[in-house]
Amino acid sequence: MTADETLARLDDDHYPAYTTGRAAALLGTTPGFLRALDEASLITPLRSRGGHRRYSRHQLRTAARARRLVDRGTPIEAACRIIMLEDQLEEARHLNSEQRRAGGSPRPSTAARGVMAGM
């Protein structure tokens, strides 16, 4: 691997650069919290050759979202589900927007727009 290829990985949000200990320290939490997020299938860290969990920046941002909810009193399982649903909703909105731009489906009805605006 060249130096340029190595540097390019540093810009990749999905490159698993952080060990469990480092990730926990950055988030101000415990390795057990990160393992719980893995068990709940919110984030799935890659594994090193030795079997150690490695986290990406993208995964750390997701873990930080969970931490904020848990810090406010939301059970960890519920926090994980909330984040999964938020992410699914965002993806659906993005796909709908792309489809409308491409001339696909018509715009949502007035009632549907009112419901979406309240979210």
Side-chain angles (χ1 to χ4, degrees):
M1 180 176 305
T2 68
D4 287 339
E5 290 171 332
T6 301
L7 287 174
R9 285 184 171 180
L10 296 176
D11 292 330
D12 182 356
D13 269 357
H14 297 282
Y15 180 69
Y18 300 95
T19 63
T20 301
R22 181 70 178 136
L26 286 169
L27 295 170
T29 190
T30 65
F33 178 79
L34 293 171
R35 285 192 299 274
L37 299 181
D38 185 9
E39 290 168 14
S41 299
L42 180 63
I43 56 176
T44 305
L46 291 177
R47 299 282 183 145
S48 68
R49 288 187 184 139
H52 300 282
R53 290 175 174 91
R54 304 285 289 193
Y55 297 89
S56 69
R57 288 187 306 207
H58 175 77
Q59 290 171 325
L60 294 184
R61 282 193 296 275
T62 301
R65 290 169 59 198
R67 165 105 196 263
R68 283 191 294 274
L69 289 170
V70 170
D71 285 351
R72 291 186 207 142
T74 306
I76 195 163
E77 297 84 7
C80 291
R81 185 69 179 136
I82 288 166
I83 291 168
M84 286 181 212
L85 290 170
E86 287 175 343
D87 289 349
Q88 288 173 2
L89 178 60
E90 181 61 31
E91 179 65 19
R93 286 179 172 165
H94 176 74
L95 292 172
N96 285 339
S97 177
E98 283 185 357
Q99 188 174 16
R100 279 194 294 277
R101 274 196 297 272
S105 66
R107 298 210 34 94
S109 68
T110 304
R113 283 195 303 270
V115 169
M116 284 194 268
M119 293 182 164

